[in-house]
Amino acid sequence: MPEPVPGAAGVRRAATPTLVPMPRTSIGPDPVGRDVIHVLLDAATAMPWAEDEIDRRLVQWAADAVEATVTIEPATADTHGPDALSVPLLDERVLLARRETGSQGFSDLDRRLLVALAAMATTSARHAQRDARLRRRALTDDLTGLWSHGIFPDLLATASRRREDGEQLGVLFLDLDRFKQINEELGHLDADAVLREVARRLLAALPPDSVVGRVGGDEFACVVRRLDGEDGLTETRTRLRRTVNQPIPVGDRLLSVDVSIGGVVSVSSEEDPDALLRAAEEAMRAAKRGREDVAPPRWYDEKTLVRDLLDQGGVGIALQPMVLLGSGRVVGYEALVRADHGDLGTVSPLLLVGSASRTQMLDELTEVVAAQAVETVAAIARDSQTPQWLCLNVEFEQLVPGSALVPALAAAVAGTDVRLVLEISEREIGRWTGAHDAVARDLDQAGIGLAVDDFGGGHATFALLHSWPWRWVKIDQALVSARDDDSSRVLLGHVVTMLRDLGLTAVAEGVESTDQRDLLRSLGVPLAQGTLFAAPTTAALVRDAAATQRHAAPPDL
């Protein structure tokens, strides 16, 4: 059978079949004048179809079988009319056959032929998915999901071959210090959980195109693209060590482990991948031998950790401005918690908030953050002679009737030009009940607004949008940053239109480029924040920057 034209919108039956013609066959009561047996035989013999050929083969064989123009369309396409016949496929698509208006309509035989071919395509797709899962399992570590020791050198070699001209790679080797002691103290189940958490952190700390593998019981290796020489290698080592050092929750305690890291810079694709990996491992062992501060695993009680941070001034803030997209003027700031522990160093906000929640100290932590943020933003509002918003992130569990947090926050902003707004992640608002209406009214009476954060981040439910008259709805960075994808741009536009139609103000978060800014402007998004305007930074630096920034009073939302 002749090959179809790649990329063609539709394919018609080839005039000359490749197989020796067989007697024309009819299936069922509908007499036909086409080689349907040949078509089905070709399709069945080729099963399972290659993954990257499924759509092309389906269109070709369907066109041959029913003598029509055949395409694959979204499920929303117009498939009605006597000259059209459609069969559903996977992924909300349909196989659509059309004939010229006025020609013979489709028969039940045509429908059964398309159904049979669509079933073959579905079976082939599922077979390909299963094969992909099996290949992945064969090449990855069962415990962590990272690449396995066996495949890692090949992936390193591939990354080296595919590098751009002049591109340098970083090859790093990591070994968790005294992990045998952790195994003995925790047992294998909890120790395995520690390894999974370390793997997750490595993936999160490195660029998406990095290669991360588990190459031993407590050993990991990484390949980092587009490295800035030895300085970049040093920065990456420092970042990874800080990431791994962060306390790991184990039961009701926190465990801090240390890690030894070695690395080498690869400047040429001619370098042997195995030699690079060995050199990185040797650098790790040299680093371990040269360190005098290889500490044993350290345990911390969550409550003591949070208490020490609160009492000893270890909790601080970073502030990021929110701007009017039309003018670029600053109308407020979001306060983000930061923490630094004398022994542990920087403590991640996620860990701190989780520990404070589990130890019933979340309200106290919020009050400490609010006090510092209000002091800074009130000074900016006073100097600029314009009221300013202050956004605080709170957990849903804090919005309970009778909470002491509401009067405490109201007292913090009393007598200032700070307009306080509490932001709640969309993933929690689905639990909103009538009791929360009462808390929201108390906040409203105190002049404190409520807003939805992270909308579109994967937990959205439209019911939450009319739970309360939200001050604004922050569109998650995942939607904002997917601007190069046509479907994502369409989705973003629909979200903005829906919010506008509901009378809700959209705020775009995570804006990082002028392209994103321009797209958001064209969609009519009024407010935004992100590194394009300013990254989160310390209160002192925000005060200094505010002296030269243009401010505007918050719009009446």
Side-chain angles (χ1 to χ4, degrees):
M1 181 170 50
E3 289 294 314
V5 179
V11 181
R12 295 193 63 86
R13 181 180 183 274
T16 306
T18 56
L19 299 179
V20 176
M22 295 178 63
R24 297 195 181 275
T25 307
S26 65
I27 299 179
D30 186 12
V32 294
R34 48 189 186 267
D35 300 319
V36 293
I37 293 295
H38 285 189
V39 173
L40 293 177
L41 248 158
D42 285 350
T45 303
M47 288 281 291
W49 308 342
E51 183 177 15
D52 59 350
E53 290 281 302
I54 291 175
D55 285 358
R56 186 185 68 84
R57 286 176 177 265
L58 175 59
V59 168
Q60 175 69 67
W61 279 318
D64 284 347
V66 300
E67 290 186 328
T69 298
V70 177
T71 57
I72 294 175
E73 304 289 347
T76 55
D78 181 13
T79 60
H80 301 291
D83 58 341
L85 176 62
S86 66
V87 172
L89 300 173
L90 294 176
D91 303 326
E92 298 184 352
R93 301 185 304 165
V94 295
L95 182 67
L96 178 62
R98 288 191 183 277
R99 288 179 178 154
E100 294 180 3
T101 303
S103 61
Q104 182 180 359
F106 290 101
S107 66
D108 183 61
L109 170 62
D110 294 324
R111 182 189 61 79
R112 284 186 287 156
L113 287 170
L114 292 188
V115 168
L117 290 167
M120 293 184 197
T122 297
T123 300
S124 297
R126 288 175 176 160
H127 188 279
Q129 291 168 359
R130 185 194 65 185
D131 278 358
R133 287 194 298 270
L134 291 174
R135 286 195 301 271
R136 177 79 186 183
R137 288 182 60 183
L139 300 176
T140 56
D141 173 53
D142 286 341
L143 178 63
T144 63
L146 299 179
W147 296 111
S148 66
H149 177 269
I151 194 63
F152 189 86
D154 294 336
L155 297 174
L156 169 56
T158 300
S160 182
R161 284 196 309 271
R162 294 179 177 175
R163 72 176 82 191
E164 301 166 0
D165 290 343
E167 179 185 343
Q168 298 182 353
L169 302 182
V171 183
L172 298 103
F173 201 100
L174 300 85
D175 177 70
L176 300 181
D177 295 329
R178 303 190 183 185
F179 194 75
K180 181 180 178 181
Q181 181 179 340
I182 296 174
N183 255 324
E184 292 171 349
E185 291 185 14
L186 294 181
H188 287 295
L189 291 179
D190 282 341
D192 284 352
V194 172
L195 290 172
R196 283 192 293 269
E197 175 61 16
V198 170
R200 186 196 66 77
R201 292 182 181 187
L202 293 177
L203 288 171
L206 292 171
D209 58 358
S210 301
V211 180
V212 184
R214 183 185 178 207
V215 295
D218 57 359
E219 295 174 333
F220 301 84
C222 311
V223 180
V224 182
R225 300 277 312 270
R226 291 175 285 279
L227 196 75
D228 185 17
E230 291 293 340
D231 289 344
L233 184 67
T234 300
E235 187 276 331
T236 302
R237 277 200 306 259
T238 301
R239 173 158 39 91
L240 292 182
R241 188 176 182 193
R242 287 175 178 169
T243 297
V244 174
N245 282 164
Q246 285 287 309
I248 299 171
V250 180
D252 59 353
R253 296 189 295 169
L254 298 170
L255 171 66
S256 178
V257 298
D258 214 340
V259 61
S260 297
I261 306 177
V264 294
V265 178
S266 170
V267 298
S268 169
S269 59
E270 301 299 319
E271 294 173 284
D272 178 55
D274 289 330
L276 287 171
L277 193 57
R278 285 195 298 272
E281 181 179 9
E282 179 53 39
M284 179 276 296
R285 304 209 180 280
K288 188 185 289 283
R289 289 192 298 268
R291 284 174 52 203
E292 298 179 357
D293 60 342
V294 178
R298 301 175 298 285
W299 290 97
Y300 297 89
D301 175 74
E302 276 193 315
K303 189 169 186 178
T304 301
L305 174 68
V306 179
R307 184 79 271 151
D308 287 348
L309 287 169
L310 290 171
D311 292 347
Q312 297 173 14
V315 175
I317 61 168
L319 293 167
Q320 184 174 39
M322 180 188 297
V323 304
L324 291 169
L325 270 177
S327 65
R329 290 179 179 268
V330 177
V331 293
Y333 298 84
E334 179 177 3
L336 305 167
V337 65
R338 297 290 185 263
D340 192 77
H341 188 272
D343 294 332
L344 297 172
T346 302
V347 178
S348 78
L350 189 63
L351 174 68
L352 176 58
V353 171
S355 296
S357 175
R358 288 187 290 271
T359 55
Q360 309 300 311
M361 288 189 279
L362 193 52
D363 282 357
E364 186 176 355
L365 174 63
T366 302
E367 290 180 33
V368 169
V369 171
Q372 296 181 41
V374 168
E375 179 182 4
T376 300
V377 177
I380 293 173
R382 185 174 57 251
D383 294 343
S384 64
Q385 297 183 344
T386 53
Q388 293 286 282
W389 273 323
L390 170 61
C391 318
L392 290 180
N393 294 284
V394 297
E395 297 298 307
F396 192 76
E397 65 199 65
Q398 295 178 268
L399 300 179
V400 294
S403 169
L405 181 63
V406 174
L409 293 177
V413 296
T416 72
D417 278 330
V418 175
R419 307 292 184 257
L420 186 60
V421 178
L422 305 182
E423 296 185 346
I424 313 165
S425 175
E426 67 159 14
R427 67 179 180 274
E428 299 291 343
I429 297 178
R431 296 156 49 196
W432 189 278
T433 67
H436 297 100
D437 287 343
V439 179
R441 283 192 293 271
D442 290 343
L443 289 167
D444 190 52
Q445 291 173 2
I448 300 173
L450 284 174
V452 178
D453 197 12
D454 306 322
F455 186 78
H459 304 271
T461 169
F462 295 124
L464 69 86
L465 295 177
H466 55 77
S467 300
W468 185 256
W470 307 104
R471 187 62 54 87
W472 57 66
V473 175
K474 275 192 176 176
I475 301 173
D476 190 75
Q477 183 178 9
L479 277 179
V480 173
S481 62
R483 66 193 185 283
D484 295 330
D485 181 340
D486 286 341
S487 60
S488 296
R489 281 198 296 268
V490 171
L491 180 59
L492 176 61
H494 284 315
V495 168
V496 173
T497 300
M498 176 187 65
L499 294 176
R500 185 185 303 118
D501 290 345
L502 290 172
L504 297 168
T505 299
V507 180
E509 57 183 349
V511 181
E512 298 176 341
S513 70
T514 54
D515 287 345
Q516 292 174 351
R517 180 200 62 195
D518 294 344
L519 173 61
L520 293 164
R521 279 178 177 170
S522 70
L523 293 174
V525 177
L527 297 159
Q529 65 185 86
T531 55
L532 176 66
F533 311 108
T537 190
T538 64
L541 291 177
V542 166
R543 281 287 305 273
D544 291 342
T548 58
Q549 288 172 330
R550 298 179 303 161
H551 291 76
D556 185 17
L557 302 182

